[in-house]
Amino acid sequence: MAYRLKFSKRALRETGEAQEWYELQSPGLGEEFIAALELQLKRLEQAPLLYAEVISSVRRALLPRFPYGLFYVVRGDLVHVLAVLHDARNPSRWPKSR
């Protein structure tokens, strides 16, 4: 079964910020970040329940090569990506509303 993906506004903003930061570090690196993100999203579409819960009902999938995690919840056939966070950030400090 293929799952549908949905991004929160926050996750979209964080993705853009990370891509921009990497691109400033080295031309082309921002695109490599997006490619790693897309690879992980394809995996989530196929098997989102493989990844562990890190907060009640919130799962995390790490990106290959980059120190970022996709934080998401699974509701029926929907994978709702809540945040795209650098590993150094603390997700327990998130606002409680989702």
Side-chain angles (χ1 to χ4, degrees), residues 11-77:
L12 290 172
R13 183 186 74 244
E14 291 167 340
T15 299
E17 289 170 356
Q19 178 187 16
E20 184 177 312
W21 188 86
Y22 279 115
E23 196 61 33
L24 288 172
Q25 303 313 301
S26 177
L29 193 56
E31 291 306 313
E32 291 179 34
F33 174 80
I34 295 300
L37 177 77
E38 289 173 348
L39 175 64
Q40 192 59 279
L41 290 173
K42 287 179 184 178
R43 292 174 181 160
L44 290 181
E45 285 177 321
Q46 297 304 313
L49 300 177
L50 288 178
Y51 300 94
E53 285 188 12
V54 292
I55 300 172
S56 179
S57 78
V58 177
R59 296 173 182 272
R60 179 183 67 178
L62 298 175
L63 294 187
R65 185 171 174 218
F66 292 91
Y68 275 80
L70 299 176
F71 291 81
Y72 64 96
V73 295
V74 179
R75 296 184 181 123
D77 70 341

